[in-house]
Amino acid sequence: MITLHSTAQDKSFENDVKTIDALMKASYKVVSGEKGAKRQWDRDNYLHHPKAVYSYFDREQKIQATLTLEEFHKQTDVMVFGTAFYESEINREVRFFGNIAHVWSTYETRLEKEGKVERRGINSVQLIFENNRWYIISWTFCGETNENSIPKTFDRN
């Protein structure tokens, strides 16, 4: 069994993991920000289970990478050094069974806070409910392409 640590700083993130809605909103906030701005990785660590993984696909829809959370943070740090990045959720579908939830979260990305939408895609997020809170255990994202457009059921409601 994994022992999860708790720090005084974690107390400020407790509301982020009480509901799926709060967790999803926090997860989009932690990756968004101005060019060169440090992201909220302490908060992001709190949202994720220690064994969480990230996966994503390239434009040809082939799996590009499966990363630990730490590896994902390092790759993101390199990206945000050169550009602003603002991601927001435009639609969400959630399915539950026992202490697991699967979230289909459609997103759009801007490279300026109020700029035009540069890209869209879908996040497939697997959550577990443990220790009276939600954890992200897996996050897979796939960007929209001309050949792979977002289905109407996953677009804005």
Side-chain angles (χ1 to χ4, degrees):
M1 179 162 184
I2 296 170
T3 303
L4 302 172
H5 69 283
S6 179
T7 66
Q9 186 178 23
D10 291 346
K11 297 290 184 195
S12 64
F13 307 137
E14 283 181 346
N15 288 334
D16 289 345
V17 296
K18 288 184 178 181
T19 67
I20 290 174
D21 185 58
L23 184 137
M24 292 304 297
K25 286 177 179 175
S27 67
Y28 280 102
K29 285 181 185 175
V30 300
V31 297
S32 296
E34 286 297 317
K35 174 181 174 179
K38 184 169 172 26
R39 297 307 188 250
Q40 302 174 47
W41 294 150
D42 287 342
R43 186 180 187 188
D44 202 36
N45 286 332
Y46 190 77
L47 302 176
H48 288 78
H49 190 275
K51 299 268 184 177
V53 295
Y54 266 78
S55 302
Y56 61 93
F57 292 83
D58 63 18
R59 298 205 52 81
E60 285 77 39
Q61 304 303 305
K62 293 185 168 93
I63 192 75
Q64 185 65 31
T66 297
L67 311 166
T68 66
L69 187 59
E70 182 181 356
E71 291 168 332
F72 174 75
H73 289 168
K74 285 179 183 174
Q75 278 196 8
T76 302
D77 283 341
V78 170
M79 177 194 72
V80 301
F81 217 49
T83 186
F85 181 85
Y86 295 94
E87 194 164 79
S88 58
E89 184 178 58
I90 60 171
N91 189 53
R92 181 188 314 152
E93 294 184 22
V94 182
R95 299 280 181 135
F96 297 91
F97 182 77
N99 67 337
I100 62 174
H102 186 168
V103 179
W104 291 102
S105 178
T106 307
Y107 65 87
E108 57 187 22
T109 302
R110 291 176 168 79
L111 301 180
E112 296 176 17
K113 194 167 196 159
E114 302 299 326
K116 70 178 178 115
V117 174
E118 297 290 337
R119 54 189 172 265
R120 300 176 347 137
I122 297 179
N123 292 311
S124 171
V125 187
Q126 292 71 49
L127 308 175
I128 60 170
F129 191 79
E130 185 177 79
N131 302 320
N132 284 337
R133 54 155 295 172
W134 287 101
Y135 289 95
I136 299 169
I137 191 75
S138 173
W139 190 295
T140 303
F141 53 98
C142 186
E144 182 177 45
T145 65
N146 291 335
E147 298 78 31
N148 190 39
S149 60
I150 294 172
K152 291 196 184 313
T153 58
F154 285 116
D155 215 334
R156 289 183 174 94
N157 284 336

